[in-house]
Amino acid sequence: MTDSPETETQPKRNIPLDSAMPDWLKGLPEQSAPYAALARWDRPIGIWLLLLPCWMGLAQMRIPTGFALIDLLWIPLFAIGAIAMRGAGCTWNDIQDRDIDEKVARTASRPLPSGDVTLQQAYLFLAAQLAVGFLVWLFLPTDAKIVALLSVPLVAAYPYMKRITWWPQAWLGFTFNFGALVGAATATHVTGATVVLYLGLVCWTVAYDTIYALQDREDDALLGVRSTARLFDEKVLTGVFIFHLAATALIFLGAYFAGAGRIGAVLSLAFLAHGVWQVSTLSKQKHGRALEVFKSNTIAGAIIVAGLVLAAFL
């Protein structure tokens, strides 16, 4: 029995090995699936980790006054912006890392190294996502517009950090959590409490992205790619826990300075408890559960948002 002509001519679809929703990608139209993978829409945790700080900054600045009706606009607008800008950031990162990705088993089947998307197509897709982000930016208040623009150099430089520093996770932290400053500037303005919260979130990102980097530690060593997972070496879990502790302290202070009171203490303890669970889980199976533990940081972020929102209501 021979294959039908349709079967013979059906193009092979490359599904990235690190896709969180491979069946969803397979169900998309043939032309759109590679772009969805390029923007990491099949890995929504990155969208959450970019979006949650925006909501944190907004909620923190609403603690003294309570939420306003206009926040019903900002909350979904931040979500649209996070989807667009996270996708744009991933596209830009893959453009710059395409030669590295083709040498790593986990990333070799991504759209650029696999050839599913050409370099020109990737740049056009990047421009389309930036256009969506620009439309969101137009809606923001003037102060928030200025703050958002300050993040652009951080985003542009991020792909190169793993080549020149052992701390690309810290650079990612300063980049990914800029939404907390934008959220605060959208609500009122950036305060000292906002900056303290922001620094706490940077420490949190160092912790969770170090966990993520555990997956690639061997390949990174062969390719000369630097990371805190390699820098901390055998003491990597100690490093992760220290940054969780620093994040907890700074997040508590940010909430306290904003007037969160006891609720700020409770949210900080809950956040720390989740960090302890992460380290404890990794101590039993460091590499096998790294991705699972990394993904759980949506819960950690949700704890912070919930605490700040509750403090704004009470």
Side-chain angles (χ1 to χ4, degrees):
M1 181 176 180
T2 59
D3 293 334
S4 65
E6 290 79 12
T7 303
E8 292 175 355
T9 59
Q10 184 177 9
K12 179 182 178 182
R13 178 173 298 193
N14 290 303
I15 303 297
L17 293 178
D18 55 357
S19 174
M21 299 189 295
D23 291 337
W24 178 75
L25 281 180
K26 291 176 184 177
L28 292 177
E30 192 71 36
Q31 296 300 318
S32 61
Y35 293 99
L38 189 60
R40 309 282 203 281
W41 292 337
D42 59 321
R43 294 163 59 188
I45 181 174
I47 296 173
W48 283 112
L49 293 176
L50 189 63
L51 172 59
L52 290 172
C54 300
W55 288 349
M56 292 175 198
L58 179 69
Q60 185 195 39
M61 289 299 99
R62 294 304 191 204
I63 290 174
T65 61
F67 286 99
L69 187 61
I70 189 65
D71 294 333
L72 294 176
L73 170 64
W74 303 136
I75 291 171
L77 202 65
F78 287 152
I80 296 170
I83 294 170
M85 297 311 296
R86 191 267 184 148
C90 289
T91 303
W92 172 246
N93 188 75
D94 280 12
I95 288 172
Q96 301 305 316
D97 282 357
R98 60 191 185 279
D99 293 335
I100 294 176
D101 286 346
E102 68 181 6
K103 300 173 184 176
V104 178
R106 186 175 64 84
T107 58
S109 55
R110 285 180 177 176
L112 275 167
S114 69
D116 286 346
V117 173
T118 67
L119 186 58
Q120 181 181 25
Q121 289 171 332
Y123 273 115
L124 289 173
F125 184 50
L126 172 63
Q129 293 173 97
L130 290 175
V132 175
F134 176 71
L135 291 176
V136 171
W137 180 82
L138 289 176
F139 280 92
L140 297 176
T142 301
D143 286 356
K145 282 188 173 76
I146 295 171
V147 172
L149 288 176
L150 294 176
S151 69
V152 173
L154 295 173
V155 176
Y158 171 68
Y160 306 105
M161 291 301 109
K162 63 176 71 71
R163 298 169 172 86
I164 64 176
T165 177
W166 286 100
W167 293 89
Q169 281 69 32
W171 192 276
L172 180 67
F174 286 109
T175 305
F176 234 59
N177 296 295
F178 225 82
L181 305 179
V182 175
T186 300
T188 54
H189 56 274
V190 174
T191 66
T194 310
V195 174
V196 172
L197 172 65
Y198 172 64
L199 294 176
L201 298 178
V202 171
C203 292
W204 172 46
T205 300
V206 173
Y208 71 62
D209 202 50
T210 298
I211 293 171
Y212 183 80
L214 285 172
Q215 301 174 94
D216 298 327
R217 205 155 56 160
E218 293 182 4
D219 287 328
D220 286 349
L222 292 173
L223 297 170
V225 174
R226 302 176 183 182
S227 71
T228 47
R230 289 187 60 207
L231 177 66
F232 299 158
D233 198 23
E234 294 303 314
K235 296 182 179 179
V236 64
L237 295 186
T238 301
V240 167
F241 186 62
I242 288 172
F243 275 96
H244 268 300
L245 284 175
T248 301
L250 290 167
I251 290 168
F252 166 72
L253 289 174
Y256 175 79
F257 292 148
R262 293 179 181 177
I263 295 176
V266 172
L267 83 85
S268 301
L269 289 174
F271 174 83
L272 179 60
H274 188 269
V276 170
W277 171 83
Q278 292 186 61
V279 174
S280 175
T281 301
L282 290 171
S283 68
K284 300 171 185 175
Q285 194 175 358
K286 189 180 300 181
H287 297 284
R289 302 190 68 180
L291 183 59
E292 172 195 346
V293 172
F294 164 73
K295 289 180 179 180
S296 75
N297 279 281
T298 52
I299 298 173
I303 289 170
I304 302 171
V305 171
L308 295 174
V309 168
L310 185 60
F313 274 115
L314 297 179

